[in-house]
Amino acid sequence: MRARELGLPLIGGTGPDNAITDVPGVAVGYTTLIEGDSVRTGVTAVLPRPRAEVQLPCAAGWHALNGNGEMTGTAWLSETGLLRLPVLITNTHAVGPVHRGVIDWTVRAHPAVAAEWMLPVVAETYDGYLNDINGPWVRPEHAVAAIEAAAPGAVAEGSVGGGTGMICYGFKGGSGTASRLVPYGETVYTVGVFVQANFGARHELTVCGVPVGTRLPADEQRTNLPPGAGSVIAVVATDAPLLPGQCTALARRVPLGLARTGTTGSIFSGDIFLAFSTANKGSFGTGMPTGEPTYEQLHAISWNRIDPFHTAVVQAVEEAVLNALVAGRTMTGRAGHRVPGIPIERLVELVTAR
């Protein structure tokens, strides 16, 4: 069951799978690592384009609400407004091997790209309460496997991939996704969101406008980090033709969707967001310059018509977080630490009783 299927009053029309993969060409893949009593982690891959075309740049932008986290490659994103290659998400101490894994995959799959230079985008959130985060569990081959597993269509949620050991509002969190359809003249575009939700204090949790956090059953609370600590990574995708600055504007709207779920943004949470457009394929130069100078040609949504896309981001982010929570199940991990799944029946009762 997902948040919408529970009858929660979410607004906005979705794509067929209500997922980031509703954007044509976008794919998601996971490597999930659950071993023994203390390994609860993994890797998520989001492919902006199909594997054979993932080297073709997309217009892109990023935004950090709070910088207590990591997303590699953002300096080059700021410089050029372009994203190429898969985007990977993992745990805080596994950024290095996952970064290496993207390079290893690209060397095999796209040797011409590897012959130049690569600045992969790898992001993280902290799973050290449930997972032995200092152990060498995530290796480059796990990143390669996540990329190879990436597929369009329905996306698994909750304790999968990089979201395996994550906690959200004191409940089991993890991976979540949602989408919205945006009419634009005679065309309907899709905005899709993927989140790795690992943020928020229990008392903050708000669902569809109802403050439920203080009214849900008390349970074991983690004590190794302050309330609200963790992090959240969001990836926003659209097939609408956008300029890099417009992608950045979409990324800046992610915090508004998060705020609908109650968070006020802890200083101990790394909240970093990426947005890209798959339109204008082939319009951006790739590789080292050869031959005669050329000009780029592309089209874009008018700035004065972009508000419906902002709305779509806000709505989809809210639903993606709720989907991650609803998909979460009670998990026990490192040192016997236990994180409960959100009590779904009580949640629905609180939200629908008003």
Side-chain angles (χ1 to χ4, degrees):
M1 297 289 288
R2 306 179 75 193
R4 187 170 290 246
E5 295 165 356
L6 293 173
L8 300 182
L10 294 156
I11 58 175
T14 75
D17 289 305
N18 194 14
I20 193 172
T21 50
D22 289 330
V23 178
V26 175
V28 174
Y30 297 120
T31 298
T32 301
L33 301 174
I34 299 178
E35 302 174 8
D37 298 328
S38 59
V39 179
R40 306 287 186 270
T41 193
V43 183
T44 298
V46 178
L47 275 60
R49 303 193 189 280
R51 275 182 289 272
E53 300 177 341
V54 77
Q55 80 282 6
L56 299 177
C58 295
W62 73 286
H63 175 69
L65 174 67
N66 188 55
N68 193 356
E70 180 64 88
M71 180 182 285
T72 68
T74 50
W76 190 235
L77 275 172
S78 296
E79 184 75 20
T80 64
L82 300 178
L83 167 74
R84 64 197 303 206
L85 302 180
V87 176
L88 279 291
I89 316 174
T90 187
N91 79 58
T92 307
H93 295 178
V95 170
V98 170
H99 194 279
R100 180 70 243 179
V102 180
I103 292 173
D104 291 347
W105 179 84
T106 308
V107 166
R108 295 200 294 268
H110 296 283
V113 175
E116 299 166 0
W117 78 93
M118 290 173 278
L119 295 169
V121 173
V122 179
E124 55 77 26
T125 64
Y126 177 86
D127 61 11
Y129 186 71
L130 288 169
N131 176 55
D132 176 16
I133 196 170
N134 293 323
W137 314 115
V138 178
R139 301 186 297 274
E141 57 264 33
H142 295 132
V144 173
I147 296 170
E148 289 296 332
V155 177
E157 294 172 300
S159 300
V160 289
T164 300
M166 302 304 168
I167 304 166
C168 189
Y169 290 111
F171 295 108
K172 189 65 191 70
S175 304
T177 188
S179 69
R180 290 296 185 273
L181 301 179
V182 182
Y184 190 84
E186 296 182 354
T187 304
V188 177
Y189 291 112
T190 301
V191 174
V193 169
F194 182 93
V195 298
Q196 186 161 295
N198 188 56
F199 68 100
R202 173 77 64 86
H203 69 271
E204 295 178 318
L205 178 59
T206 301
V207 177
C208 298
V210 180
V212 300
T214 57
R215 302 170 67 188
L216 291 171
D219 208 310
E220 179 180 338
Q221 299 285 300
R222 62 178 178 172
T223 58
N224 66 327
L225 291 175
S231 287
V232 55
I233 299 297
V235 179
V236 179
T238 185
D239 57 348
L242 299 182
L243 301 169
Q246 293 172 320
C247 293
T248 301
L250 262 60
R252 285 200 303 265
R253 266 61 186 188
V254 170
L256 300 178
L258 298 176
R260 287 191 179 198
T261 67
T263 183
T264 54
S266 168
I267 191 63
F268 298 103
S269 181
D271 309 327
I272 309 177
F273 321 119
L274 168 72
F276 63 84
S277 165
T278 62
N280 294 302
K281 184 170 67 174
S283 294
F284 302 104
T286 61
M288 303 300 291
T290 59
E292 293 297 316
T294 59
Y295 294 92
E296 306 290 1
Q297 297 186 20
L298 63 154
H299 65 295
I301 298 293
S302 298
W303 272 105
N304 62 0
R305 301 280 187 176
I306 202 168
D307 277 354
F309 296 92
H310 293 167
T311 300
V313 171
V314 174
Q315 292 178 354
V317 167
E318 177 187 23
E319 187 164 356
V321 171
L322 297 182
N323 281 336
L325 279 167
V326 168
R329 296 294 180 268
T330 300
M331 178 178 283
T332 301
R334 182 185 68 83
H337 292 165
R338 176 183 175 274
V339 176
I342 196 166
I344 292 176
E345 290 185 4
R346 179 58 175 155
L347 171 67
V348 173
E349 178 183 287
L350 289 170
V351 174
T352 58
R354 59 177 178 170

